[in-house]
Amino acid sequence: MINPIWLKTFKTLVDIGHFTQTAEQLNMTQPGVSQHIAKLEAACHYPLIKRFNKQFELTIHGKKVYQYAQKWLEEEQQLLQELGHDEPFKGKCTLGCSGTLAWLLYSPLLELQMTYPELTIELEATPNERIYEQVHKGAIDIGLVTKPPSTKYFDSQIVGVESLVFVVPSTYDRHLPLTELLPRLGVVRHPDLEHYFHAYLSHSNDPQLAKLDLTSIPSKSYINQVHQVLLPVAKGIGFSVVPKCCVSLFSEQDKLAVLPVTEEIQEPLYLVTKRHAPLAKRYELVVETIQSVLNSCNLLSKNHQEANHV
């Protein structure tokens, strides 16, 4: 490996053309300059200068090393300048979230990118555990999860809530107990179903729901696109558990019914980052956009719920 100090001495010598003046410029002795040049030549395994009458000329190898030194110092200067600038509207933003949130967030984040073309948005829809893994490894900078993060590895803030609902066809038999109704309907599965199902049951105080075992309920369909999960339900095929905002945004809401519960089933949404790894300024816009979308979604769900009770 070439010592960068020797490279700097060599470039300065070539630029000035005199050993004594180079030593003065670098606050060194003349023998010190000569020593740096000798060490650089030894590291390169080729002579870099040819001396004559207290002057010197570059060898063909010296010219190549000088060009390399110029490029290296230019890149170093550019790096130092870039380190001093944390651009708020420029750079790559990487985040991970559930499929539901990706459905909600991707379009607003693209609008943000259209406003600030030098921003790049990379969004991955993936389960909670995968999000934690990627944030910890540095593969993504921020994640949105409903599972509380470990304070040992992650910093977090609550940016919203996710309300969960059991969704069934609007034609469901309201006289059947849930322990009979849901197994008879069967379940429409999706990547987040198991997490949503158990989260719902853990928060619900309904004794009938507490008796349900997801593994014993027949599977009617599977789709990994969350915006299509409610399509089979609307056609009378099965039930599913999804965030309430999915129902609010679904085009055929009149064909769906939400099972009544005594209270809202909500999970906090955590925005997680790697512990002791501050975010760049450009993420301020991203986080603001996320919070705005989540607030709008909660308002939409609330208005939809109130309209259904009129």
Side-chain angles (χ1 to χ4, degrees):
M1 180 178 179
I2 297 176
N3 189 319
I5 297 177
W6 304 339
L7 272 178
K8 184 176 181 181
T9 301
F10 175 69
K11 181 181 180 302
T12 305
L13 175 64
V14 176
D15 290 340
I16 293 177
H18 196 281
F19 274 84
T20 301
Q21 293 177 14
T22 297
E24 292 174 354
Q25 175 73 25
L26 299 176
N27 294 317
M28 298 173 62
T29 63
Q30 183 174 329
V33 173
S34 297
Q35 189 179 51
H36 279 193
I37 302 305
K39 288 182 177 180
L40 182 59
E41 288 179 321
C44 294
H45 305 293
Y46 289 101
L48 303 180
I49 61 174
K50 183 177 181 180
R51 303 190 192 205
F52 60 94
N53 299 328
K54 295 185 179 182
Q55 296 179 332
F56 67 88
E57 287 289 344
L58 291 176
T59 66
I60 57 173
H61 308 296
K63 291 178 181 179
K64 291 180 180 179
V65 173
Y66 177 71
Q67 290 173 354
Y68 173 81
Q70 280 183 310
K71 183 179 179 181
W72 172 76
L73 286 170
E74 287 172 0
E75 290 179 348
E76 180 188 67
Q77 187 62 34
Q78 182 179 354
L79 172 63
L80 292 174
Q81 290 176 352
E82 290 177 353
L83 288 176
H85 293 84
D86 186 2
E87 297 286 350
F89 311 119
K90 180 179 180 180
K92 182 169 69 174
C93 298
T94 56
L95 59 154
C97 62
S98 69
T100 302
L101 291 175
W103 176 29
L104 293 171
L105 294 173
Y106 193 45
S107 180
L109 289 174
L110 290 179
E111 292 291 332
L112 182 66
Q113 189 172 343
M114 291 173 65
T115 304
Y116 303 102
E118 292 189 276
L119 279 178
T120 301
I121 305 295
E122 294 187 1
L123 176 61
E124 182 169 351
T126 190
N128 278 348
E129 292 303 324
R130 176 66 173 161
I131 291 172
Y132 281 123
E133 178 186 337
Q134 290 183 304
V135 171
H136 186 59
K137 289 167 56 178
I140 58 176
D141 288 330
I142 64 176
L144 292 168
V145 296
T146 51
K147 180 181 177 182
S150 166
T151 56
K152 181 178 180 180
Y153 301 109
F154 304 99
D155 292 324
S156 67
Q157 60 175 305
I158 295 177
V159 290
V161 295
E162 193 166 63
S163 300
L164 303 177
V165 290
F166 261 80
V167 187
V168 296
S170 60
T171 56
Y172 81 99
D173 188 342
R174 287 164 172 76
H175 301 294
L176 282 178
L178 296 181
T179 50
E180 292 184 33
L181 171 68
L182 297 179
R184 183 176 295 185
L185 285 172
V187 64
V188 177
R189 298 181 180 271
H190 57 85
D192 295 314
L193 173 72
E194 186 172 351
H195 171 73
Y196 289 155
F197 184 90
H198 292 297
Y200 191 102
L201 264 61
S202 67
H203 290 85
S204 173
N205 58 5
D206 191 306
Q208 291 192 66
L209 289 178
K211 298 176 182 179
L212 291 175
D213 178 7
L214 184 60
T215 60
S216 66
I217 298 177
S219 178
K220 290 292 186 177
S221 183
Y222 173 85
I223 180 70
N224 65 352
Q225 299 295 322
V226 69
H227 61 282
Q228 293 183 320
V229 168
L230 296 179
L231 189 59
V233 180
K235 295 181 181 297
I237 303 172
F239 76 92
S240 199
V241 186
V242 296
K244 184 189 288 186
C245 57
C246 291
V247 179
S248 304
L249 296 171
F250 189 63
S251 60
E252 300 179 90
Q253 296 176 34
D254 59 314
K255 296 180 181 180
L256 303 175
V258 172
L259 292 182
V261 290
T262 55
E263 61 182 17
E264 187 93 347
I265 304 300
Q266 292 185 336
E267 288 189 299
L269 275 172
Y270 301 92
L271 187 147
V272 298
T273 58
K274 190 174 183 180
R275 186 78 166 155
H276 305 306
L279 292 173
K281 286 184 179 179
R282 61 184 177 273
Y283 278 99
E284 293 178 4
L285 280 172
V286 172
V287 173
E288 288 175 6
T289 300
I290 290 171
Q291 290 178 316
S292 176
V293 171
L294 293 176
N295 290 338
S296 298
C297 182
N298 290 335
L299 181 61
L300 181 62
S301 296
K302 181 179 178 181
N303 291 341
H304 173 66
Q305 184 181 29
E306 291 174 350
N308 286 342
H309 282 82
V310 173

